[in-house]
Amino acid sequence: LDQKIVDRFIRSYPGSLGMPDNLNRTPIQYAVLKAEYFRDKDIEGKWCSPTSKIQEKWQKQQMESWQVVDFLLETMITRNKPLCSIHERNVLLESFEFYAPPSVVNKLLTTGGRFLLKDIDMAKSVLALTFASQYPVSIMKRVIRVTSKAIPSSFMLHTLRQELINHFTSGVVSDSHETSGCTSSLAFVKDLLQCYRIKRQGGEAAVTTACLEWWEKLRFLIAYSSCRFDDDTEDIILHAALTNPQSPPALIEFLCRLLPSTKYEIDANTGALPLHVACVYWDPVSGGDQNETEYVRILNILTAGDFTLVQSRYKERLAVHHAILSGKPLPFIRPLLALDNKTAIAPDPVTNLFPFQLAACPRKTRRSEAEQDRVPSSTCEQFDTEQLNLIFELLRVNPYPISILTVCHYAEMSPLTRHTLLWCYDWGFSGWKLNNKRKDMIRLAIEKGKIPEPMKSWWTKLKTLIWRAYNELDAGGQKGMRETPQTHEYLLHAA
């Protein structure tokens, strides 16, 4: 029917707008079913800016098919009449499933948005369909604002972060469409990088409307997935992306190359550089050896070889301090040390501990106590090994702190400690120096289970010093020690 005729019916019989018939269907329900009947189901429905003639034609047909629904909803809003909770509850969800135009969706949220507040399952379905149909950012914001009142915040954050990955991937992968016999590539990342590079060089460049819309949605998803709502300006978009632990490395690299100046931008709200944010929050999930490669590549891009960045402070701490305290693995911290190994001996201003001492402290964990109890023992052993490797690397890069400590305490060492260290290390005025030849001899003795001839005198004295220290503890009244026989079978107990 023509909209004028429908309008006259409503004016003549206002009550008929929400009145069900003998099948318990209201006029708007019939209008939605009719719009779905005329939809071309062979075409994948999307409401982003059209990138082909076929998609443009489909959107135009959809808007024509939903004109009556749009008019009925407009009339209901004018008359302050919401959707009926008894008969029209499913209209909202069905409209999303049937790819309703953005204008219709906007009006549906006005007249029936309250249904989403009381039905978590419906709210989750509407949120998923909003992303699947690629509605404009304005619709996404409104749907998130409404559904977030029903959906748990943890689920909402997980959904937004997953959608960020999907959306970014859609702009990286080149997808070709035939348009009037020609083929157009939709690798938006490549187009944007080229456009911004030309602009930085003082030239003029333009990208398609679809590309600009993809970039707008990407900034929106970055901001929302990092809990920085309505703060998607280009100056701090890199900070926001790094606040999200699950931001893919390819996204971070894209932002650094698109907006290179943001690497040196200090966030006005927190005073942090992107490098500091990465050390505190960013921790992408990837498996195998790819982790180390990705960490090194991204940190090299973030620092760009500028050692002054690793020397800058955030909340009085260096980047390496934040990385250690947030539990970053060795592959993440190694590039920071490579830029300036002096940071390995810079004490933490808050705790006055050296970096290797910070690494020895209990690490942060995102697991609850219940989850921690279910962690396999092999995982715990791997975690301990990684922590030990980090401590060793920090000392290897710059052993100055341990040299200072040993110079101060050499005279105070017990004879047993001094004798043990003097086999693998040579002592001099400059501190301890590793003796690789004797170290290899110890390794050979461990592997073969036999003491080599050059080690026998040192080994004999070591056993004597162990039992002497043991007897001193025994004389001090240590419980349960008098019964231990002083034979080689119990030497490990005594040690």
Side-chain angles (χ1 to χ4, degrees), residues 30 34 52 66 166:
Y30 280 112
K34 180 183 177 183
S52 66
W66 286 79
N166 296 338

Side-chain angles (χ1 to χ4, degrees), residues 31 78 90 98-99 114 123 136 142 181 223 228 295 369 383 413 464 469 487:
T78 303
N90 293 328
F98 299 158
Y99 304 95
R114 69 187 189 282
R142 190 169 184 191
R228 302 188 71 153
Y295 282 140
E369 293 183 2
F383 180 82
M413 286 181 178
T464 303
T487 59

Side-chain angles (χ1 to χ4, degrees), residues 54-224:
I54 296 175
Q55 198 173 15
E56 184 178 359
K57 181 180 178 182
W58 179 87
Q59 291 184 3
K60 186 177 180 180
Q61 289 177 345
Q62 278 292 94
M63 287 187 285
E64 292 176 355
S65 301
W66 286 79
Q67 280 184 352
V68 175
V69 179
D70 188 85
F71 174 75
L72 290 175
L73 289 171
E74 183 67 35
T75 304
M76 294 175 71
I77 293 173
T78 303
R79 294 172 177 269
N80 293 323
K81 184 176 179 60
L83 291 175
C84 178
S85 59
I86 299 176
H87 304 289
E88 300 170 339
R89 186 180 184 85
N90 293 328
V91 168
L92 181 62
L93 182 58
E94 289 175 350
S95 298
F96 276 92
E97 292 174 344
F98 299 158
Y99 304 95
S103 60
V104 174
V105 169
N106 205 24
K107 295 180 177 67
L108 281 168
L109 292 172
T110 301
T111 56
R114 69 187 189 282
F115 299 148
L116 302 176
L117 304 179
K118 301 178 181 179
D119 193 332
I120 296 179
D121 293 334
M122 182 185 290
K124 290 181 178 179
S125 299
V126 167
L127 182 65
L129 290 168
T130 301
F131 291 129
S133 301
Q134 298 185 16
Y135 281 102
V137 173
S138 58
I139 297 296
M140 288 184 178
K141 287 183 178 180
R142 190 169 184 191
V143 169
I144 291 172
R145 187 165 58 249
V146 175
T147 56
S148 61
K149 298 177 182 178
I151 298 176
S153 57
S154 58
F155 181 87
M156 176 67 76
L157 191 60
H158 173 76
T159 303
L160 288 170
R161 287 177 174 177
Q162 186 58 48
E163 183 57 32
L164 169 62
I165 296 174
N166 296 338
H167 182 72
F168 175 70
T169 305
S170 70
V172 174
V173 179
S174 181
D175 185 16
S176 298
H177 290 269
E178 292 185 359
T179 307
S180 301
C182 300
T183 302
S184 60
S185 177
L186 303 181
F188 296 139
V189 166
K190 181 180 178 181
D191 294 343
L192 275 173
L193 287 173
Q194 184 177 359
C195 175
Y196 274 65
R197 183 168 58 251
I198 294 174
K199 287 183 177 180
R200 285 196 298 272
Q201 294 173 354
E204 294 184 2
V207 292
T208 62
T209 304
C211 185
L212 289 175
E213 184 182 31
W214 177 87
W215 173 231
E216 182 186 9
K217 285 183 180 179
L218 182 68
R219 297 203 319 269
F220 156 75
L221 289 169
I222 289 174
Y224 270 65

Side-chain angles (χ1 to χ4, degrees), residues 139-428:
I139 297 296
M140 288 184 178
K141 287 183 178 180
R142 190 169 184 191
V143 169
I144 291 172
R145 187 165 58 249
V146 175
T147 56
S148 61
K149 298 177 182 178
I151 298 176
S153 57
S154 58
F155 181 87
M156 176 67 76
L157 191 60
H158 173 76
T159 303
L160 288 170
R161 287 177 174 177
Q162 186 58 48
E163 183 57 32
L164 169 62
I165 296 174
N166 296 338
H167 182 72
F168 175 70
T169 305
S170 70
V172 174
V173 179
S174 181
D175 185 16
S176 298
H177 290 269
E178 292 185 359
T179 307
S180 301
C182 300
T183 302
S184 60
S185 177
L186 303 181
F188 296 139
V189 166
K190 181 180 178 181
D191 294 343
L192 275 173
L193 287 173
Q194 184 177 359
C195 175
Y196 274 65
R197 183 168 58 251
I198 294 174
K199 287 183 177 180
R200 285 196 298 272
Q201 294 173 354
E204 294 184 2
V207 292
T208 62
T209 304
C211 185
L212 289 175
E213 184 182 31
W214 177 87
W215 173 231
E216 182 186 9
K217 285 183 180 179
L218 182 68
R219 297 203 319 269
F220 156 75
L221 289 169
I222 289 174
Y224 270 65
S225 61
S226 61
C227 300
R228 302 188 71 153
F229 308 115
D230 298 325
D231 193 3
D232 58 354
T233 56
E234 292 186 352
D235 292 341
I236 60 167
I237 197 65
L238 179 59
H239 298 73
L242 290 167
T243 305
N244 175 9
Q246 299 172 14
S247 292
L251 171 61
I252 305 301
E253 181 179 1
F254 164 67
L255 294 175
C256 289
R257 298 192 185 284
L258 185 73
L259 306 165
S261 61
T262 57
K263 293 184 292 187
Y264 308 95
E265 194 74 31
I266 296 177
D267 188 350
N269 295 327
T270 62
L273 287 166
L275 178 63
H276 297 136
V277 181
C279 291
V280 176
Y281 297 104
W282 188 59
D283 188 18
V285 179
S286 56
D289 297 334
Q290 184 182 7
N291 246 344
E292 182 168 0
T293 304
E294 296 293 352
Y295 282 140
V296 172
R297 183 166 60 88
I298 297 304
L299 283 175
N300 286 339
I301 293 174
L302 282 175
T303 56
D306 189 349
F307 68 92
T308 59
L309 290 177
V310 297
Q311 294 176 345
S312 60
R313 295 180 180 267
Y314 164 57
K315 293 184 177 179
E316 300 182 6
R317 283 174 165 152
L318 297 172
V320 69
H321 296 146
H322 289 291
I324 294 172
L325 289 171
S326 61
K328 292 294 186 294
L330 179 57
F332 187 101
I333 297 174
R334 189 179 282 121
L336 301 177
L337 300 175
L339 277 175
D340 186 4
N341 63 359
K342 291 182 180 179
T343 58
I345 62 173
D348 174 42
V350 179
T351 62
N352 289 323
L353 296 176
F354 287 110
F356 82 92
Q357 293 172 314
L358 285 179
C361 296
R363 301 268 199 99
K364 287 184 178 181
T365 176
R366 295 183 179 88
R367 298 188 183 98
S368 62
E369 293 183 2
E371 291 174 332
Q372 194 70 28
D373 294 338
R374 295 194 295 269
V375 175
S377 58
S378 59
T379 304
C380 295
E381 292 174 2
Q382 181 182 359
F383 180 82
D384 293 340
T385 302
E386 291 174 355
Q387 188 174 20
L388 190 60
N389 288 338
L390 175 59
I391 296 170
F392 174 77
E393 182 71 13
L394 289 166
L395 290 173
R396 188 195 66 79
V397 169
N398 199 326
Y400 177 77
I402 201 70
S403 300
I404 293 298
L405 292 174
T406 52
V407 168
C408 295
H409 299 294
Y410 179 79
E412 302 173 10
M413 286 181 178
S414 67
L416 173 59
T417 302
R418 191 181 302 118
H419 179 74
T420 304
L421 290 174
L422 282 173
W423 177 260
C424 286
Y425 296 88
D426 293 323
W427 172 254

